[in-house]
Amino acid sequence: MAEYLHTMLSITDPAKSRQFYEALGFTFSRDMDIVRNGEREATNYFFSMGDHENVLELTYNHDGRDYDHGTGYGHIALAVDDMEQTLEELKGQGIEAEREPWLHALEGASQHRENRS
């Protein structure tokens, strides 16, 4: 069984984006810096809608990149009971992951799925 978690969009102006999504009825929940090699690479901003917590993730990359209209889409996040089983079921339907899925621990830290041989 899958559970919808959130949709991610890349942004170039956090303040302007926050104002826009709050005007649409989203409520700012929290932000989270992504730090790699001791440098802040990106900041994720999470927004809720009514009783649905953290359903929108806006990601600001600190490297100054820009996006053309339509290229800021990042991902839709889902939770499943069993990642390995779900991937096998999808594979049986001819659907294979383009890259290894990311797992999110309960405390919110990201970790990459271990390769298994």
Side-chain angles (χ1 to χ4, degrees), residues 50-63:
D51 293 338
H52 306 283
E53 295 183 9
N54 303 320
V55 294
L56 176 63
E57 173 189 335
L58 302 181
T59 298
Y60 174 71
N61 292 292
H62 293 277
D63 61 7

Side-chain angles (χ1 to χ4, degrees), residues 84-97:
E84 296 298 326
Q85 178 183 345
T86 300
L87 290 173
E88 285 300 316
E89 289 172 0
L90 290 171
K91 189 175 183 179
Q93 298 174 52
I95 302 168
E96 293 194 43

Side-chain angles (χ1 to χ4, degrees), residues 36-75:
R36 296 186 208 270
N37 301 319
E39 293 188 29
R40 188 171 61 163
E41 180 178 292
T43 303
N44 293 335
Y45 301 91
F46 292 92
F47 293 81
S48 299
M49 176 70 81
D51 293 338
H52 306 283
E53 295 183 9
N54 303 320
V55 294
L56 176 63
E57 173 189 335
L58 302 181
T59 298
Y60 174 71
N61 292 292
H62 293 277
D63 61 7
R65 70 181 79 173
D66 201 5
Y67 305 96
D68 292 325
H69 183 72
T71 61
Y73 173 78
H75 63 262

